[in-house]
Amino acid sequence: QVQVVESGGGLVQPGGSLRLSCVASGSGFNKYTMGWYRQAPGKQRDLVAVITSGGNTNYAESVKGRFTISRDNPKNTVYLQMNSLKPEDTAVYFCNRATGISGIPYYRTWGQGTEVTISS
């Protein structure tokens, strides 16, 4: 199973930017579709963005045009560049292997995530 460690969260004012990182352990990372997900307080965990091994991407409608997912296979890392942040982006962000471009999580277990708070 791929183990992941997310980082890069923090407190940012509306309109600001953050870049999240997810470092995965184990071999085979370059073959996996990887996704970013988020869970706001009191809400379910939802897909934010997904990237396939070939670099195809898919985004939630709410983040299209503002967020960009990318990956660095030699570093076993997937990134989420978040621009024009809004208070409604406040959530704990997680990464996970995904089953495909639809972004359904592959594993039932999750890392600790990284907390993002957008507030003035």
Side-chain angles (χ1 to χ4, degrees), residues 28-94:
F29 173 82
N30 61 313
K31 302 176 185 177
Y32 300 152
T33 294
M34 296 296 295
W36 280 100
Y37 307 80
R38 68 185 180 187
Q39 186 169 20
K43 296 189 176 181
Q44 67 180 20
R45 186 158 23 214
D46 291 325
L47 174 70
V48 176
V50 62
I51 186 167
T52 68
S53 59
N56 293 321
T57 58
N58 187 26
Y59 295 91
E61 284 295 328
S62 60
V63 306
K64 280 183 179 178
R66 300 189 298 122
F67 290 11
T68 302
I69 189 170
S70 61
R71 64 192 298 160
D72 186 338
N73 287 334
K75 294 183 178 180
N76 274 23
T77 301
V78 60
Y79 301 100
L80 186 68
Q81 178 66 44
M82 307 188 296
N83 299 327
S84 302
L85 284 160
K86 304 175 180 180
E88 50 264 43
D89 295 318
T90 295
V92 179
Y93 285 70
F94 303 86

